[in-house]
Amino acid sequence: MNFSDLTAGLEAWPDDAPSRLDIDRLHAGEIDGEAADALRARIARSPEAAAYLAARERGFDDAPIDPRASLAAIRRGMADAREARAARDPRAVLRRWLPLLAAAAVGAAAVFFFVGRGGPPVAPDPPIDTVRIKGDLRLRVFRRTASGAEEVLSGDPFAPGDALRFRAKLPEAGRVTVVGVEGDGTLYTAWPPPGAALSDRFEAGADVQLPEAVALDDVPGTETLHLVLCPDDVAPVCASAGAEAAPNCPEGCRSTPFVVRKVAP
Amino acid sequence: MPPYSDALLTRLFRLHGPMVLRRARGILGSHADAEEAMQEVFIKAMSAIESARDDDLTGWFYRMTTNHCLNRLRDRKRRRQLIDEKVAPAEDRSTQHDPDAMLTLRWLLANADARQAQVVVYVHVDGLRQAQVAELMGITERSVRNLLRRFEAWADKQLAGRGRRR
């Protein structure tokens, strides 16, 4: 056997298809404008490329791992790395005292602030995204918790009744809605919340907050939220195309899915 | 890129994690190793995130994943494990690669020159064209061709040697 024989047993990516690297870059929003449109057209002509992009858009849904556990392990690793760096630093002893001093100062400031202002602490909004606006539409979902808000990933379990807030990456300005498609294909409007007098028009932005929280209903099961972005002159009104499909929205609108698994508490 | 924050980690993990995991599985062959490698890549990446260009994070994660996984393959314990895997290379069935061919390729990558191994991963595991490999590695296409040629000549000798030992 020589090396040529060996490579004959390896998967060949089609010559005329865009590379996985290009598709990964498109998915990450690093390719935009005409280049992105041209790439999307080439992807549409290649079943392999289209399947790869679809898999990328599903995120961790197909992965045989628990992404939350992995993320927790990375956070622990980052904390360990910081500790190890601190321990090697000759100023480590001094630094060990600094948090105590800082905590005392913050505590004193907090007492002054809250006693003076007379109000409970307000849970902070999630941090503002500083990454530039490029590429595809994206929906981020935050669950309200006792201490603030935590970001949840597509496919994560949700409790019926969870209060959610949405943030969106909007590559261009337009009118926005979030629709939910239940397991039986029923479509409902998740955002704007019913009865809320909110503007659905937003400027382009990497991290646009959709105001007001929405509550999930109390029916367990899997449903898909779709963030829909339509041009300014098109009302974002969509119809269900079935449980597994993207909704039918007016021409010119784009959507991106987010899977919600509602499990009984 | 902005400095490390938990929100940035969460966002980048969600965006690039599945790609890092898929590539790590392609190079290392096992889900468990790939998951561990993905976590280690993110710890390294987030420790150096301020040096990354925000318009080429995908390429940055590609390079980091490739180098990290090749280091894992070179690890001594890992080399012994490669022999054990000969008995059960079943996890590779998630890709279209022939499991035996991948097992032999991993053995070669574990022992090859680091630059040559990187080029081979991009060309033969990822299926990238030489021009794209050149751009990714910041070298010329001619250098990519030379590295590939040198690896192939070296690999042919290794494979002939393995054939004779059997």
Side-chain angles (χ1 to χ4, degrees), chain A residues 3-30:
Chain A
F3 188 67
S4 296
D5 300 330
L6 181 73
T7 55
L10 302 178
E11 177 193 6
W13 187 250
D15 282 341
D16 54 349
S19 70
R20 291 188 184 100
L21 175 61
D22 282 337
I23 299 170
D24 286 328
R25 283 176 166 158
L26 177 74
H27 176 71
E30 293 167 10

Side-chain angles (χ1 to χ4, degrees), chain B residues 5-136:
Chain B
S5 69
D6 194 61
L8 184 64
L9 165 64
T10 305
R11 236 180 55 72
L12 295 184
F13 178 73
R14 187 178 160 196
L15 189 59
H16 296 284
M19 174 269 285
V20 172
L21 181 69
R22 179 193 65 77
R23 292 195 66 245
R25 199 176 63 203
I27 300 169
L28 298 172
S30 104
H31 292 311
D33 277 357
E35 183 178 8
E36 210 172 280
M38 173 186 69
Q39 293 167 5
E40 290 161 355
V41 164
F42 268 88
I43 292 167
K44 278 188 187 173
M46 297 313 294
S47 301
I49 191 67
E50 285 176 78
S51 65
R53 276 174 37 206
D54 69 351
D55 61 349
D56 186 33
L57 273 177
T58 301
W60 196 63
F61 274 109
Y62 258 67
R63 289 186 290 273
M64 209 167 258
T65 306
T66 304
N67 296 343
H68 187 79
C69 290
L70 286 173
N71 283 339
R72 280 184 77 103
L73 285 179
R74 281 188 212 105
D75 180 87
R76 272 182 170 227
K77 280 192 283 186
R78 179 76 200 144
R79 289 190 202 182
R80 279 201 297 275
Q81 205 179 324
L82 283 172
I83 298 164
D84 297 339
E85 279 175 7
K86 187 77 184 162
V87 181
E91 287 202 57
D92 268 339
R93 285 174 194 151
S94 60
T95 73
Q96 300 300 308
H97 294 304
D98 169 35
D100 284 332
M102 274 310 292
L103 194 72
T104 306
L105 182 61
R106 279 186 205 109
W107 180 81
L108 290 168
L109 292 173
N111 293 284
D113 167 83
R115 295 286 275 177
Q116 293 171 24
Q118 288 167 19
V119 170
V120 169
V121 166
Y122 293 133
V123 171
H124 292 294
V125 181
D126 291 310
L128 298 184
R129 283 179 277 277
Q130 291 181 8
Q132 207 152 31
V133 176
E135 179 242 305
L136 197 57

